[in-house]
């Protein structure tokens, strides 16, 4: 049962309402279903869980380190990169190895502060790792680092699927596991080439939303290693690497929709080095020495990695190799440009230049907009999906009906409309309800942001324009629901009409 302390950690009123529903239903269901409900309650009071997914060598772990702000996840292919690792807040830094039989073994981080390269046990007996860190970022966000999909051994993929609820093996009993295991949101990492089966790889994480299809309500993607894109390969880039990455990310967003809300370019290596202490004052001093070289020498050295490390100059080759490992050529160029503009720039200011150049701020901003700001609705919707799955799996028709009726009563409340909207968005994004493309895109837009301007597609426009447009679209969707829609479309249209009407009320200050 959820305690008063746990209630304080719920994401908001919708999560609290679902938690109350769970508590009220527990005496009315079988012990097996009630056990699943207790797990739902535990998850509701836990931080929002985001799974970082993608192909092997896409730079997932590097990005995890940057997001956490500490170099703790191993980035070289090895034993631990074949395991799922959950990074969560704890008062004592430690790693817990969770075995397939449920036993746990506590390990310290290694001398560099990272997860040990070797666990000292048969990896086949390990379910996953849980890393606890005294880290402010993790107070309201648990980050799940997953093995790369697509070319790893089948055992690693099976462990990932089991922990995230996409397979029928793992620690929980089958009913509870399929209903409640996994993350509530997905950050999917791609590189330059989005393959046809990236859509299938995304589908591995459908359990991240309590057995619903991952979609723009709970999934965003990043185009990692943006600095490796050749600008001449992207029309309209005008020779600019970052512009090329931005244009390519927009194209990838089109190809991955409706599974993701957005694709943002990022340079994970640069972000990790700048954010985790990987860039030091000694690195800044070495860059100053490089900035002092004549232009011809600098240009020659920056033509390629081999030339950069082997060219004869005053900066030791080992120092240059370190810079290359931490910043790559793109980051080195950005640092030298900043030093040319401001020779006296401090090491701290230079680090901020590199961080700004990485694109991490935009990724964090989108995480906040898509995940954190809407954590209450995302967690409540995932919990309701889990509750429904548990009731259906019980095989008891009476139990199933009692749970269904209780959920319908909850959803009838005006304050629960966000859950209706998330449900409608999921139905449209997953293709369960077919809509003309322009209307489908409108449903996704209205349901995929907490920002009123973004919901209306009029970000930055004056309030009176937003108010008028919200009322106009509310009227249009009401008419469509009554006269132009199929029965399935009509149910979605009524929800969208209500969403626009509530936006109109909010803009007018009426609630």
């Amino acid at each position: 049962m959820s305690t008063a302390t746990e209630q304080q950690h719920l994401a908001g009123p919708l999560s609290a309402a679902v938690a109350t529903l769970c508590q009220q239903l527990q005496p009315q269901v079988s012990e097996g279903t009630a056990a699943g409900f207790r797990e739902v309650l535990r998850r509701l009071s836990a931080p929002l869980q985001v799974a970082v997914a993608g192909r092997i060598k896409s730079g997932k772990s590097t990005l995890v380190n940057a997001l956490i702000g500490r170099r703790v996840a191993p980035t070289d292919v090895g034993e631990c990169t074949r395991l799922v690792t959950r990074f969560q807040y704890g008062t004592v830094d430690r790693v817990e190895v969770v075995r397939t039989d449920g036993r746990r073994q506590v390990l310290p981080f290694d001398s560099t502060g990272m997860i040990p390269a070797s666990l000292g046990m048969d990896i086949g007996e390990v379910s996953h790792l849980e890393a606890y860190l005294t880290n402010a970022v993790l107070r309201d966000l648990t980050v799940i680092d997953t093995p790369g999909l697509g070319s790893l051994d089948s055992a690693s993929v099976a462990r990932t699927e089991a922990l995230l609820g996409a397979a029928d093996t793992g620690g929980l009993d089958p009913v509870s596991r399929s209903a409640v295991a996994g993350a509530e949101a997905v950050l999917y990492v791609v590189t330059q080439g989005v393959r046809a089966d990236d859509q299938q790889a995304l589908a591995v994480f459908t359990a991240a939303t309590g057995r619903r299809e991952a979609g723009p309500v709970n999934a965003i993607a990043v185009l990692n290693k943006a600095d490796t894109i050749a600008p001449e390969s992207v029309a309209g880039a005008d020779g600019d690497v970052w512009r090329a990455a931005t244009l390519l990310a927009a194209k990838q967003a089109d190809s991955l929709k409706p599974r993701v809300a957005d694709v943002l370019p990022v340079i994970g290596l640069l972000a990790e080095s700048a954010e985790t202490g990987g860039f030091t004052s000694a690195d800044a001093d070495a860059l100053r020495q490089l900035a002092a070289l004549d232009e011809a020498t600098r240009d020659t050295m920056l033509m390629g990695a081999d030339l950069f490390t082997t060219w004869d100059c005053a900066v030791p080759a080992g120092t240059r190799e370190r810079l290359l490992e931490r910043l790559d050529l793109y980051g080195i160029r950005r640092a030298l440009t900043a030093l040319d503009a401001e020779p006296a720039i401090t090491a701290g200011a230079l680090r901020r230049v590199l961080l700004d150049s990485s694109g991490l701020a935009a990724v964090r901003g989108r995480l906040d907009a898509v995940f954190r700001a809407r954590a209450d609705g995302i967690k409540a919707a995932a919990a309701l999906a889990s509750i429904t799955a548990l009731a259906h799996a019980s095989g008891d028709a009476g139990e199933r009906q009692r749970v269904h009726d209780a959920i319908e009563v909850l959803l009838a409340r005006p304050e629960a409309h966000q859950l209706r909207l998330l449900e409608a968005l999921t139905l449209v994004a997953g293709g369960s309800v077919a809509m003309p493309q322009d209307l489908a895109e409108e449903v996704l837009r209205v349901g995929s942001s907490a920002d009123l301007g973004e919901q209306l597609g009029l970000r930055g426009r004056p309030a009176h324009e937003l108010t008028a447009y919200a009322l106009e679209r509310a009227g249009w969707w009401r008419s469509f629901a009554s006269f132009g829609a199929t029965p399935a479309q009509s149910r979605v249209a009524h929800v969208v009409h209500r969403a626009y009407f509530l936006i109109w009320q909010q803009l007018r200050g009426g609630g």
Side-chain angles (χ1 to χ4, degrees):
M1 186 168 180
S2 180
T3 65
T5 301
E6 285 176 324
Q7 290 282 359
Q8 293 173 5
H9 291 93
L10 293 168
L14 292 175
S15 295
V18 176
T20 300
L21 177 74
C22 269
Q23 293 165 343
Q24 292 172 342
L25 283 171
Q26 279 190 75
Q28 305 175 42
V29 298
S30 67
E31 176 51 36
T33 306
F37 283 6
R38 286 193 288 274
E39 176 65 12
V40 172
L41 282 166
R42 184 193 68 78
R43 289 282 305 280
L44 273 169
S45 62
L48 183 72
Q49 300 189 73
V50 177
V52 181
R55 296 190 167 280
I56 191 170
K57 296 185 178 179
S58 60
K60 298 180 310 305
S61 298
T62 299
L63 190 61
V64 166
N65 289 335
L67 289 170
I68 294 174
R70 175 170 163 180
R71 198 163 189 269
V72 63
T75 54
D76 294 330
V77 175
E79 191 174 82
C80 291
T81 58
R82 294 162 58 195
L83 294 169
V84 176
T85 304
R86 293 163 47 87
F87 294 94
Q88 52 205 308
Y89 182 80
T91 54
V92 177
D93 286 7
R94 68 190 187 279
V95 181
E96 291 190 3
V97 182
V98 184
R99 295 177 182 264
T100 52
D101 62 6
R103 289 182 297 149
R104 291 172 179 254
Q105 179 175 337
V106 179
L107 296 176
F109 289 99
D110 70 15
S111 59
T112 67
M114 296 185 71
I115 290 174
S118 175
L119 302 177
M121 64 188 72
D122 182 0
I123 194 173
E125 298 177 0
V126 178
S127 166
H128 64 282
L129 304 179
E130 296 195 353
Y132 294 87
L133 299 166
T134 51
N135 182 291
V137 173
L138 298 175
R139 283 188 179 273
D140 61 353
L141 190 72
T142 292
V143 179
I144 304 174
D145 190 13
T146 66
L149 300 176
S151 58
L152 271 181
D153 60 277
S154 59
S156 296
V157 175
R159 279 190 293 266
T160 304
E161 293 176 343
L163 190 68
L164 296 178
D168 291 328
T169 56
L172 284 172
D173 67 279
V175 172
S176 297
R177 180 181 58 254
S178 64
V180 301
E184 290 106 359
V186 179
L187 176 63
Y188 194 75
V189 183
V190 297
T191 49
Q192 289 184 46
V194 173
R195 304 180 192 177
D197 57 353
D198 269 309
Q199 292 279 8
Q200 295 173 328
L202 266 169
V204 170
F205 296 87
T206 54
T209 53
R211 283 298 185 194
R212 296 176 309 153
E213 286 289 314
V217 63
N218 72 326
I220 64 173
V222 295
L223 167 59
N224 198 13
K225 305 183 181 181
D227 55 316
T228 64
I229 295 167
E232 61 272 13
S233 67
V234 181
D238 298 326
D240 183 87
V241 171
W242 195 257
R243 179 167 173 75
T246 303
L247 291 169
L248 185 57
K251 288 182 181 178
Q252 291 182 338
D254 289 338
S255 69
L256 290 174
K257 283 179 180 176
R259 288 206 180 270
V260 300
D262 204 357
V263 180
L264 296 171
V266 69
I267 306 171
L269 176 65
L270 205 55
E272 181 193 55
S273 296
E275 192 73 337
T276 67
F279 179 76
T280 66
S281 58
D283 295 325
D285 290 340
L287 287 164
R288 287 185 208 285
Q289 286 183 271
L290 290 171
L293 296 173
D294 65 89
E295 187 176 350
T297 299
R298 267 174 47 176
D299 289 346
T300 302
M301 291 175 65
L302 291 172
M303 288 174 64
D306 287 344
L307 281 170
F308 182 77
T309 55
T310 59
W311 197 262
D312 185 27
C313 80
V315 182
T319 301
R320 283 177 274 161
E321 286 173 5
R322 174 186 158 84
L323 288 175
L324 200 60
E325 288 172 2
R326 295 292 189 273
L327 309 177
D328 218 334
L329 286 176
Y330 180 84
I332 293 167
R333 289 192 190 98
R334 292 291 298 123
L336 293 178
T337 299
L339 283 161
D340 289 343
E342 188 181 347
I345 189 171
T346 64
L350 194 56
R351 182 194 69 82
R352 288 190 291 275
V353 168
L354 294 171
L355 186 60
D356 290 344
S357 301
S358 73
L360 184 65
V363 173
R364 280 187 169 148
R366 202 72 177 110
L367 282 171
D368 286 343
V370 175
F371 296 157
R372 288 182 196 260
R374 302 162 68 238
D376 185 29
I378 290 173
K379 289 180 71 67
L384 281 181
S386 296
I387 292 166
T388 302
L390 285 161
H392 276 270
S394 72
D396 183 328
E399 180 174 294
R400 186 163 59 244
Q401 191 61 48
R402 284 192 294 276
V403 171
H404 175 270
D405 291 346
I407 289 175
E408 286 302 307
V409 170
L410 185 152
L411 291 176
R413 301 178 192 171
E415 63 270 22
H417 179 75
Q418 186 186 355
L419 297 178
R420 289 284 195 198
L421 183 58
L422 292 176
E423 180 186 31
L425 184 149
T426 302
L427 290 171
V428 173
S432 299
V433 175
M435 284 273 188
Q437 185 175 350
D438 59 335
L439 297 186
E441 289 177 356
E442 187 172 353
V443 174
L444 302 184
R445 188 189 69 230
V446 171
S448 297
S449 175
D451 181 88
L452 296 182
E454 282 191 8
Q455 285 180 289
L456 298 173
L458 298 173
R459 188 168 186 176
R461 305 291 281 275
H464 70 274
E465 285 189 31
L466 301 183
T467 306
Y469 185 73
L471 188 60
E472 175 195 331
R473 294 312 294 164
W476 188 94
W477 279 92
R478 182 175 55 190
S479 298
F480 176 65
S482 302
F483 304 113
T486 66
Q489 290 174 340
S490 181
R491 287 193 293 273
V492 170
H494 279 300
V495 173
V496 179
H497 152 70
R498 178 69 174 160
Y500 274 121
F501 182 74
L502 292 173
I503 292 172
W504 176 75
Q505 278 192 323
Q506 191 173 342
L507 287 166
R508 291 181 71 245

